């Protein structure tokens, strides 16, 4: 059961900036645990996009950025491109000794 | 090449059992925390279980506790998920994933599909 809340969908035209929010609680994000983001292209496995709130793994374009504040986090995509059309999930750790994922957000490039 | 390859999925009747395997290459499973994460058709990601690098500590999601067992065979460099008393709601693609310090997953397999249906 997802305990991190994301908007179901966001959309933008090529070149625009879009943001995805991820809202948790005092037992996960608010407890100080980091937030991580994954990109899932259609029909493929998730891929690590952002780790430790704002760090990009090697090979991830700097168009992707992350931030965290309080019990929430956000992912921003600037200069939106057609290949960014995918599902995006946030993830954190919970004090109940479990890993928690967000509900997922579908990004559509208009 | 560093990769994870799952196998063992298939069609099983409610109440049945299935064992999933995840073969690792390019690194050792015993040196890492390893998890199973599942995704029901058209739904989001759900963490299922984790085994620590020592192999002696395991945790499970409440939805599978008492029915699923995670384990590993270091000699085969393989992670397993034994699934018993399967229910329709266990139908999903099951991914194995490598965890790195900081409680996130840096490497995922392609997944194996489990369908629980009569």
């Amino acid at each position: 059961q997802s305990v991190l809340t994301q908007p179901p969908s966001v959309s933008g035209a090529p070149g625009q900036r879009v943001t995805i929010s991820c809202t948790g609680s005092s037992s996960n994000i608010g407890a100080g645990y980091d937030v991580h983001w994954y990109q899932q292209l259609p029909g493929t496995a998730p891929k690590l996009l952002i780790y430790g709130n704002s760090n990009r793994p090697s090979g991830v374009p700097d168009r992707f950025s992350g931030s965290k504040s309080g019990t929430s986090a956000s992912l921003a995509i600037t200069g939106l491109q057609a290949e960014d059309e995918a599902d995006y999930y946030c993830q954190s750790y919970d004090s109940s000794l479990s890993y928690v994922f967000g509900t997922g957000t579908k990004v559509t490039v208009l | 090449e560093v990769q994870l390859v799952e196998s063992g999925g298939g069609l099983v009747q409610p109440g049945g059992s299935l064992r999933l395997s995840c073969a690792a290459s390019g690194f050792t499973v015993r040196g890492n925390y390893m998890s199973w994460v599942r995704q029901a058709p058209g739904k989001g990601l759900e963490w299922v279980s984790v085994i620590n690098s020592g192999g002696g500590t395991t945790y499970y999601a409440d939805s599978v506790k008492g029915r699923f067992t995670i384990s590993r065979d270091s000699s085969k460099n393989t992670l397993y998920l034994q699934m018993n008393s399967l229910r329709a709601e266990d139908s999903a693609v099951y991914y194995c994933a490598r965890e790195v310090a900081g409680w996130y997953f840096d490497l995922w397999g392609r997944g194996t599909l489990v369908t629980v249906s009569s």
Side-chain angles (χ1 to χ4, degrees):
Chain A
Q1 184 175 358
S2 300
V3 294
L4 304 181
T5 303
Q6 299 178 231
S9 63
V10 299
S11 62
Q16 284 191 330
R17 178 179 187 268
V18 297
T19 61
I20 301 170
S21 61
C22 172
T23 303
S25 68
S26 58
S27 65
N28 40 69
I29 300 175
Y33 295 110
D34 287 342
V35 178
H36 321 289
W37 292 88
Y38 303 88
Q39 178 192 59
Q40 187 175 33
L41 296 170
T44 69
K47 167 194 164 187
L48 181 65
L49 193 66
I50 296 286
Y51 67 94
N53 304 317
S54 59
N55 302 290
R56 287 185 306 276
S58 174
V60 173
D62 59 7
R63 302 184 291 104
F64 296 92
S65 62
S67 63
K68 171 192 164 184
S69 178
T71 58
S72 296
S74 64
L75 173 73
I77 310 174
T78 57
L80 194 64
Q81 298 183 7
E83 61 259 36
D84 298 334
E85 194 159 281
D87 293 325
Y88 293 82
Y89 294 90
C90 59
Q91 178 253 315
S92 186
Y93 189 74
D94 194 274
S95 301
S96 61
L97 303 180
S98 64
Y99 304 75
V100 290
F101 285 93
T103 48
T105 298
K106 181 176 182 59
V107 169
T108 301
V109 182
L110 302 173
Chain B
E1 182 185 4
V2 177
Q3 65 176 356
L4 295 165
V5 179
E6 301 93 337
S7 60
L11 175 63
V12 61
Q13 292 189 336
S17 298
L18 210 57
R19 187 178 83 156
L20 306 183
S21 300
C22 171
S25 56
F27 73 99
T28 60
V29 295
R30 70 179 178 187
N32 294 270
Y33 281 53
M34 299 292 298
S35 275
W36 288 96
V37 177
R38 68 184 181 183
Q39 185 172 35
K43 302 298 184 181
L45 301 170
E46 179 189 16
W47 171 78
V48 173
S49 180
V50 64
I51 186 167
N52 73 340
S53 55
T57 301
T58 58
Y59 294 104
Y60 299 90
D62 288 343
S63 57
V64 306
K65 200 171 295 182
R67 300 187 299 123
F68 290 11
T69 303
I70 190 171
S71 64
R72 72 181 190 202
D73 185 332
S74 297
S75 66
K76 296 182 178 179
N77 208 25
T78 298
L79 178 73
Y80 300 101
L81 186 67
Q82 177 66 43
M83 305 186 295
N84 299 329
S85 303
L86 283 162
R87 307 165 180 167
E89 54 264 36
D90 295 319
S91 296
V93 173
Y94 284 74
Y95 298 101
C96 63
R98 181 179 71 180
E99 180 189 334
V100 292
W103 296 296
Y104 65 93
F105 310 106
D106 73 325
L107 180 67
W108 297 68
R110 292 186 175 185
T112 186
L113 177 63
V114 172
T115 303
V116 184
S117 175
S118 55

